[in-house]
């Protein structure tokens, strides 16, 4: 028997007597021993590093919560297809069928266009800026407001950092090379590409390589060098563009049913938030630690041509992005509110990043 257990038993009679006299403290003590078992589904398939397993991953989050709560909150994790299909998490959690889901908010764009701003925005903010906005710039409050009427609570639980433009079977030498291209690309970037004549496809991770290899698509974006190499994308295309215009950050969303969230005692809610924040930091640090080696290997040993997009293409993409975002924001009040808040913080953060991070990185260039 553990010391804490013996201490609990030795004080039980005193606690019960105090409870009869004081009422509320007894309820608080009883509530603190209540246990919970939840299920978490995932938009990504079994074994995927970062998205399912590894440092700061959803399964790591589940372990952290169980350890920090001393077993009072146990979360059973199910990768895509093990309990529900890959992109059914939003509806499953909203309906109460599942307590939690791990994925990306931009997957729910068809139901909540403004949700995309909580994953990434083309030409938006990097990971430092995104974290600053969500945690201390009003972003989390907007996220809460957006999801409350859908019976949901969400928060960051991971971040890949900046992502690569993607893999192309043929080189991109000018803006005209995008017209007619078939590309796997999610989120707001897909809308931008669509305006430039790209036939956009939204495919789960497991379907990207076979589609690219067979020529069903001409190009594909996934994450970054480590993850892309693991999927074998370099075997289907050799032109790897590094300009992370479309996803300068990418937030993993922890989605929770609002009713079950509110059923948790305050200390368990704090444990969930703390574990999620820890995973947000650890997952991005892990990505930074593995991508450099993977990129060097792809270039030096696999014949990959890694380079930025031509300036002409990037400038046109930025112009169309501004048009697409403004048009989307004009369609509904929710999106307008989130868009304006995001852009205002982006501009404020850029003024600081321009004299801090950018200046330092330029010294090392």
């Amino acid at each position: 028997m553990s010391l804490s257990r013996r201490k609990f038993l030795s004080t039980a009679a005193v606690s019960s007597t105090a409870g009869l006299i004081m009422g509320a403290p007894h309820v608080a003590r009883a509530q603190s021993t209540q246990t919970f078992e939840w299920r978490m589904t995932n938009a990504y398939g079994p074994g995927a590093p970062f998205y399912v397993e590894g440092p700061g991953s959803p399964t790591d989050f589940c372990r952290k919560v169980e350890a920090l709560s001393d077993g009072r909150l146990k979360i059973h994790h199910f990768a895509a297809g093990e309990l529900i299909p890959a992109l059914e998490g939003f509806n499953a959690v909203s309906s109460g069928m599942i307590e939690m889901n791990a994925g990306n908010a931009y997957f729910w764009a068809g139901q909540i266009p403004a949700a995309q701003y909580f994953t990434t925005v083309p030409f938006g903010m990097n990971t430092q800026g995104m974290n600053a906005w969500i945690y201390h710039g009003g972003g989390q409050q907007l996220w809460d407001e957006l999801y409350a009427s859908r019976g949901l609570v969400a928060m960051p639980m991971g971040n890949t950092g900046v992502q690569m433009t993607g893999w192309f079977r043929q080189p991109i030498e000018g803006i005209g090379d995008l017209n007619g291209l078939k590309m796997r690309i999610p989120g707001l970037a897909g809308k931008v590409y669509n305006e430039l004549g790209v036939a956009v496809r939204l495919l789960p991770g497991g379907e990207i390589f076979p589609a690219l290899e067979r020529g069903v698509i001409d190009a594909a974006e996934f994450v970054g060098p480590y993850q892309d190499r693991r999927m074998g994308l370099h075997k289907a295309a050799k032109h790897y563009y590094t300009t992370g215009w479309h996803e300068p950050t990418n937030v993993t969303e922890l989605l929770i049913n609002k009713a079950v969230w509110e059923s948790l005692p305050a200390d368990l809610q704090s444990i969930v938030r703390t574990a999620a924040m820890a995973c947000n930091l650890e997952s991005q640090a892990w990505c930074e630690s593995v991508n450099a080696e993977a990129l060097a290997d792809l270039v030096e040993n696999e014949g990959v041509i890694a380079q930025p997009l031509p300036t002409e293409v990037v400038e046109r993409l930025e112009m169309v992005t501004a048009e697409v975002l403004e048009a989307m924001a004009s369609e509904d009040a929710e999106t307008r509110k989130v868009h304006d808040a995001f852009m205002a913080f982006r501009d404020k953060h850029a003024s600081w990043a321009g004299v801090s991070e950018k200046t330092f990185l330029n010294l090392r260039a």
Side-chain angles (χ1 to χ4, degrees):
M1 182 182 295
S2 68
L3 178 62
S4 60
R5 178 66 175 162
R6 289 198 299 271
K7 183 179 179 181
F8 172 80
L9 292 174
S10 68
T11 57
V14 176
S15 298
S16 297
T17 303
L20 289 173
I21 297 171
M22 302 177 68
H26 177 67
V27 172
R29 179 176 292 276
Q31 196 175 46
S32 71
T33 63
Q34 186 177 0
T35 61
F36 300 82
E37 287 205 30
W38 287 6
R39 292 170 297 173
M40 173 192 283
T41 51
N42 198 316
Y44 295 89
F50 176 89
Y51 291 107
V52 175
E53 297 179 354
S57 67
T59 52
D60 189 25
F61 165 81
C62 295
R63 287 190 292 269
K64 282 177 166 58
V65 169
E66 185 172 0
L68 289 169
S69 68
D70 197 23
R72 288 168 55 212
L73 176 54
K74 185 176 181 64
I75 304 167
H76 302 278
H77 178 273
F78 299 89
E82 292 181 338
L83 196 61
I84 61 173
L87 301 181
E88 293 297 321
F90 183 92
N91 291 333
V93 176
S94 181
S95 69
M97 184 175 79
I98 301 296
E99 289 83 8
M100 285 178 154
N101 184 74
N104 301 104
Y106 61 19
F107 289 148
W108 329 130
Q111 299 184 64
I112 314 177
Q116 298 172 94
Y117 286 81
F118 298 97
T119 300
T120 191
V121 176
F123 297 100
M125 290 185 280
N126 65 4
T127 300
Q128 288 167 281
M130 192 70 157
N131 282 336
W133 178 59
I134 291 175
Y135 290 131
H136 297 291
Q140 184 64 63
Q141 289 81 358
L142 286 170
W143 209 350
D144 292 343
E145 181 182 321
L146 188 67
Y147 278 24
S149 63
R150 280 86 175 182
L152 297 165
V153 172
M155 63 191 72
M157 190 179 58
N159 201 305
T160 65
V162 64
Q163 297 196 5
M164 300 295 93
T165 294
W167 299 86
F168 293 73
R169 290 163 65 91
Q170 299 296 326
I172 301 299
E173 298 175 346
I175 197 68
D177 291 332
L178 295 177
N179 189 35
L181 204 71
K182 300 185 294 293
M183 183 176 185
R184 184 269 182 188
I185 179 79
L188 291 167
K191 295 179 180 295
V192 176
Y193 274 125
N194 183 68
E195 291 296 314
L196 294 170
V198 175
V200 174
R201 304 284 187 268
L202 181 57
L203 302 174
E207 297 180 19
I208 299 174
F209 174 74
L212 188 61
E213 184 184 41
R214 297 197 309 266
V216 175
I217 55 177
D218 306 305
E221 177 273 351
F222 187 50
V223 184
Y226 183 90
Q227 300 275 26
D228 294 359
R229 181 182 63 177
R230 178 180 177 273
M231 291 183 66
L233 298 182
H234 59 285
K235 298 177 182 177
K238 293 298 183 183
H239 298 278
Y240 195 31
Y241 287 96
T242 59
T243 309
W245 71 274
H246 67 303
E247 294 189 10
T249 188
N250 187 286
V251 178
T252 298
E253 175 191 70
L254 174 60
L255 192 65
I256 310 171
N257 178 274
K258 191 170 186 289
V260 299
W261 172 252
E262 291 174 348
S263 76
L264 282 185
D267 67 319
L268 289 184
Q269 288 186 354
S270 293
I271 285 172
V272 169
R273 289 194 184 278
T274 299
M277 186 178 288
C279 286
N280 190 29
L281 170 64
E282 188 172 9
S283 62
Q284 201 264 331
W286 177 81
C287 289
E288 289 292 303
S289 75
V290 298
N291 276 327
E293 180 277 327
L295 182 59
D297 175 57
L298 288 168
V299 172
E300 295 169 9
N301 302 315
E302 300 293 344
V304 169
I305 303 168
Q307 60 186 321
L309 287 168
T311 301
E312 170 210 351
V313 174
V314 175
E315 290 176 348
R316 181 65 178 147
L317 286 167
E318 186 170 17
M319 183 183 304
V320 175
T321 293
E323 296 169 355
V324 166
L325 293 178
E326 180 57 34
M328 190 177 73
S330 299
E331 291 177 358
D332 68 88
E334 282 184 335
T335 306
R336 169 56 69 189
K337 184 174 183 178
V338 174
H339 170 85
D340 288 352
F342 180 95
M343 291 302 172
F345 193 90
R346 183 196 68 167
D347 293 345
K348 181 171 70 173
H349 179 260
S351 67
W352 161 242
V355 298
S356 57
E357 294 294 320
K358 184 177 180 180
T359 301
F360 172 68
L361 291 173
N362 284 343
L363 289 175
R364 298 171 56 195

